[in-house]
Amino acid sequence: MSTIRLRSPAAFWLALPAGLWMALAVVLPVLLIVWVSLWGGTSVSPNNPITFDNYQRFLSNQNYLWLIGDTLVQTAMIMAITGVLGYCIAYFLTVKVASPGWRVALFLAFVIPFWTSTLIRAIAFVPFLGVNGLLNQALMAIGLIERPIQAFLYSRLGISMAQVSLYTLLASGPVVYMLNSIPPALREAAMTLKAPPIIVFWRIILPLTLPGIVIGQVLVFLNVLADFITVTTVGGNKLAFLGNLILLFYEGSQIRATAVVSVLLMLLMLAGVTLALRVVDIRKIGG
Amino acid sequence: MTLADVPVIPQLDLELRHIRKRYGDFVAVNDVSLQVGKGQFICLLGPSGCGKTTTLRCVAGLEEPDAGDILIGGREVTGEPPWKRDIAMMFQDFALFPHMTVAKQVGFGLEMLKKPKAQIAARVAEVLKAFEIGHLAERRPAQLSGGQKQRVALARAMVTEPRILLLDEPIGALDYSLRETVMLELKTLQKRSGISFIWVTHDQNEAFSLGDHVVVMNHARIEQQGRPDEVLSRPRTAFVAGFIQGNNVLEGKAGLVRDGVLEVMTALGTFRVPLLDLAPPAAGSALSFSVRAERLIERPGEDVPNRIALRCITVEYFGAFRRHVLEGAGGTVVKYDQFGALPQSIREGENIVLGWSLDNGVLHRAPPA
Amino acid sequence: MHWKTRSRLTGWLLGTVTIGFLLFQWAPMFTMFTLSFSGENGGTTFPMNGVSLHWYRNLWEADLFDDFKPPMLRSFLLALACSATTVVLSVCAAQAMRGRFRGNGLYFYLLLLGLMAPGILVGFGFAILTRLLGIEGAWNTTAYVVHVSWALPFGFLTMLAVFNRFDPKLEEAALTLGATRLTAFRRITWPLILPGVIGTALFGFSLSYDEYARTLFTSGSDGTLPLAVMAQLDRQLTPELYAIGTATTAMSLIVISLCAIGFWLRARALRGSPT
């Protein structure tokens, strides 16, 4: 008994607006992309014949295949870095910081930037990484380098640094959640069963946080794969990943090519998420 | 001196020497010393926050004492980590590893000892059978009932045959109906295995029915330790007397001593309490003594030295006895328990005189807090 | 070496990594904050050539071409509308989920889809949809629809979590005291879920206010602030962009801290003081 009856029509009607909204604004558009990617002809009209020509044309271009591969390599690299970094930070914040005050303060310092605009944060990397930027100044000040490093900005290095900064929280957040849900007694039980800390970590903590790691990796995967903002801001349009290609085709009014790349992006994402679900059952989280 | 002349000291399973532990300003364990002989069943009893769990965790190595020594099997282990101590521990909520099957779980301790795989499998099967949980071997903790979890936790702790098993409120998470059976099983298991059990609980029924030796703690200190019947019949402090059910604790001032009997002046009157092994207190000093509620006598004769005039407030029925709550001079409340399903002899609102014989008064060592 | 000492060593190691990352995360933003106050002859990088509010003044007095005020206003209004819609829809959807209507499992995934689908795909797809329907995109129509679809899953999950922690016995108590379902919701449920509702509203606002990809495809000729910022970045990076970034970041920090203080005061009031 609550303010809503089980299986009542009222529940259905309450659910309807949000469901319709999502169907109209997300599901239908995504299906349309698939359809458009199969259009023959040249006009924008529902009467175009269905064909796989667009895919054939796109996939026969060696450069585009390279770009897909390149995007995947970049994504895998960022996943690896944010994964390790995010786990270390999550472990430190939840397990190692003893004082609750410090934990909250550090956690806020970690999370607050996430509440601000990604675009602004990406732009902020330009003066940070530039020739006279803070990073070069700092490195020169501590004597690590003699001359400013040009290659920070408008390079893959710069893009990667910005992406790591932007997406580590995504990798870390679910791990924090999982670590918090492990009762301290489990760790202690393992220790009284003769397991030294490193074994406790491998046999108890790591397996129990695995769902968090996987979810974090999925989030980073989805975001880096479709990322184009960091590339345009920090990369200065010198480099392109899949997301940039979509934008490029769209701005060139090549709607079919845009759709093709979009569908490929979607497929990659689907493949990634399916793979992740095989590793771990997301529905089990919290159970 | 030849070897044969060396006196054989029975080796202790556990010895605590003056353990102290504080968290900031809070003293959790204060000067706790304890000796546990071979294969003993020890119960640490006390209210929550009394330091019993911290003491246990110090033995396990999960907490590091600020001062004092811990010896397990005669070997100093104070600075050693939990995984190097000859102990096992059972946790309050069992702390089963949610991602491991029962068999994996029980074999974990053996795996840590780097036993060969075949040997582990054989030993695990044997232990599961002994605990009657063989059919659960492939289940995970989420698929177990409370009683099954308890058995798995116990099997996991016992599989390596440690010298000492530490149990932190081990049946607190079980249904009431299960507790008595489990207690009985554990007691039998302890006797048979010869492993020392150190059992932490706030439940005096558990402590007095299980322990060979009961340690009552309060405010980080040991108040009293001894055989269960000793502690029950002779509480040595006002706290222990009050903590054990069915005691009337009376506070007063010391009077004269005659023939090993002390006069105590209280709000209810002056009573005569035997000194026994205690030194006579200075006249006028504050002290307390206790009388068990079932040792009171209704309408005592002139030969009974201690008598009080009281008014009965309520009569309550418990399972095995009838409790009378009575009020005396100055609002002091006295309990009187009547066993044996006798007909009710005191009505509510009735005025009555109760008394007790000299040897039923138990004088406390420490002055009341 | 006591074993806890070694454990403290890993602590220090991980702590160094964490602090290092936090510095790395905040340093670019601080660079931007600092440079937004550079002098009139200051550029987009060091040295600052003085300290002034010049770039903020420039923003305020800008002429037609690089005037950020109209897009900022549009962004603000759009975010408000998106926030309000998200609150209504997600409270309804989460409340409906409690009713376990037929197909609620599928419904859950439908709403989650908006979280997984990248903005660039949703935006592009929606642009196709409007084009096929012959609708002209605008910030307050098409962009609004897409923005809500972005914020809705966040709001929905927040409200689900809130309802999960909510004790239905409280509602039952109200109902047994003679309240109708609607009254019970209004008088009991609503005040208790209010912090979650405010959280949802914040999500709705900030997700819309900061959204770039979805807006790019759907807002038509009059863009929002992120579009204007990106357009300016395409033309030339100027300290004015730093000023905008600093101002918006400061704004969101202020709003977040106000809400945090509000929650804290509420929690304290609920705990109650004996006096």
Side-chain angles (χ1 to χ4, degrees), chain A residues 186 188-189 191 194 197 203, chain B residues 57 83 85 87 99 111:
Chain A
L186 287 191
E188 297 175 350
M191 288 198 288
K194 311 282 175 286
R203 296 289 306 273
Chain B
R57 291 169 59 82
W83 56 93
R85 298 188 181 192
I87 51 112
H99 59 301
E111 250 183 271

Side-chain angles (χ1 to χ4, degrees), chain A residues 58-77:
Chain A
F58 181 83
L59 292 174
S60 61
N61 187 327
Q62 205 74 50
N63 290 332
Y64 293 152
L65 291 180
W66 267 112
L67 191 138
I68 292 178
D70 202 24
T71 308
L72 284 174
V73 168
Q74 174 75 10
T75 309
M77 184 182 80

Side-chain angles (χ1 to χ4, degrees), chain B residues 168-196:
Chain B
D168 187 8
E169 309 255 357
I171 60 173
L174 292 183
D175 285 343
Y176 263 100
S177 54
L178 265 175
R179 290 191 191 175
E180 239 166 87
T181 338
V182 172
M183 270 163 64
L184 206 71
E185 282 178 8
L186 283 169
K187 180 82 187 168
T188 323
L189 177 72
Q190 191 269 331
K191 283 266 164 299
R192 211 180 45 219
S193 64
I195 293 172
S196 278

Side-chain angles (χ1 to χ4, degrees), chain A residues 8 57 225:
Chain A
S8 64
R57 207 167 312 132
L225 207 58

Side-chain angles (χ1 to χ4, degrees), chain B residues 5 11 15 26 42 74 78 89 105-106 114 123 126 155 167-168 177 191 210 218 257 273 275 277 286 289-290 295 348:
Chain B
D5 297 334
Q11 197 189 38
E15 186 176 3
F26 178 74
I42 308 288
T78 319
M89 185 158 172
Q105 192 114 222
V106 173
K114 307 213 162 55
R123 173 80 178 130
E126 180 192 319
L167 307 102
D168 187 8
S177 54
K191 283 266 164 299
L210 288 172
N218 186 37
V257 180
V273 187
L275 272 175
D277 57 340
F289 67 94
S290 53
R295 295 293 173 86
E348 291 185 8

